[in-house]
Amino acid sequence: MQRIMLRGKLHQARVTHAELNYEGSCAIDQDLLDAVNIREYEQIDIYNIENGERFHTYAISGERGSKMISLNGAAARKAAVGDRIIICAYAPMSEQQIESYDPNLVYLDADNNIVRTSKNIPLQLA
C-alpha cells in the first residue's frame, strides 16, 4: 500500500502578483523552490489563509532572488496580492519509505524571506 504524504511546504508565503492573463500556474522564486525541493511543473496545492480557498496548480520558476509568488491564469481569481498562502507538494510513499522520511518545511516572513526550516510540524496541544 502507498500513502500520499506531505513532501514539502512553503508556509505563510505572501502573494506578490496575480496575473489573470498569463498562462495558468504559480511562479515561485527559484530560491524558494530550491529550499523546499519543488521542481518546475510539479503539481502543488495552494491553501489561502485569508479566504479559505484551496486549489491545485503547478509550479513554474520565478526570478531567483525576487521573493515572487505569482498566481497566474484562473488561480489569480483565488487570491489577492498580499494574501498569505500555504504551498504544498505531496508524494506517494510506501510504508517502508515513510519510516525514514521527513518533509521539507520552509517558513516565510511577510516579505517571503526564509525565517526558518524544519523537518517536522510542532505538536498541536489541546
Side-chain angles (χ1 to χ4, degrees), residues 10 13-17 25-40 44 58-72 85 87 106 108-109 111-114:
L10 288 170
R14 293 276 179 165
V15 176
T16 61
H17 300 77
S25 58
C26 180
I28 302 169
D29 177 331
Q30 185 61 53
D31 288 336
L32 297 176
L33 289 176
D34 292 347
V36 76
N37 193 25
I38 292 175
R39 299 285 302 265
E40 189 166 36
I44 54 175
Y58 61 94
I60 62 172
S61 180
E63 181 182 0
R64 191 176 290 282
S66 67
K67 310 299 182 196
M68 169 188 285
I69 303 289
S70 181
L71 297 178
N72 302 322
I85 61 173
I87 301 170
V106 177
L108 305 176
D109 67 13
D111 296 315
N112 291 335
N113 295 303
I114 297 172

Side-chain angles (χ1 to χ4, degrees), residues 2-98:
Q2 292 208 321
R3 297 178 189 263
I4 306 299
M5 303 297 291
L6 176 66
R7 197 177 57 65
K9 173 174 85 164
L10 288 170
H11 192 72
Q12 301 252 356
R14 293 276 179 165
V15 176
T16 61
H17 300 77
E19 303 291 342
L20 184 61
N21 295 314
Y22 189 84
E23 188 172 339
S25 58
C26 180
I28 302 169
D29 177 331
Q30 185 61 53
D31 288 336
L32 297 176
L33 289 176
D34 292 347
V36 76
N37 193 25
I38 292 175
R39 299 285 302 265
E40 189 166 36
Y41 307 118
E42 184 172 353
Q43 179 179 311
I44 54 175
D45 286 352
I46 298 178
Y47 312 121
N48 188 325
I49 296 167
E50 310 301 337
N51 65 19
E53 288 280 357
R54 300 167 73 88
F55 56 97
H56 304 292
T57 189
Y58 61 94
I60 62 172
S61 180
E63 181 182 0
R64 191 176 290 282
S66 67
K67 310 299 182 196
M68 169 188 285
I69 303 289
S70 181
L71 297 178
N72 302 322
R77 297 217 184 261
K78 302 288 190 178
V81 171
D83 281 2
R84 294 172 302 147
I85 61 173
I86 300 167
I87 301 170
C88 294
Y90 298 89
M93 295 184 191
S94 68
E95 294 293 332
Q96 185 176 16
Q97 289 172 307
I98 291 169

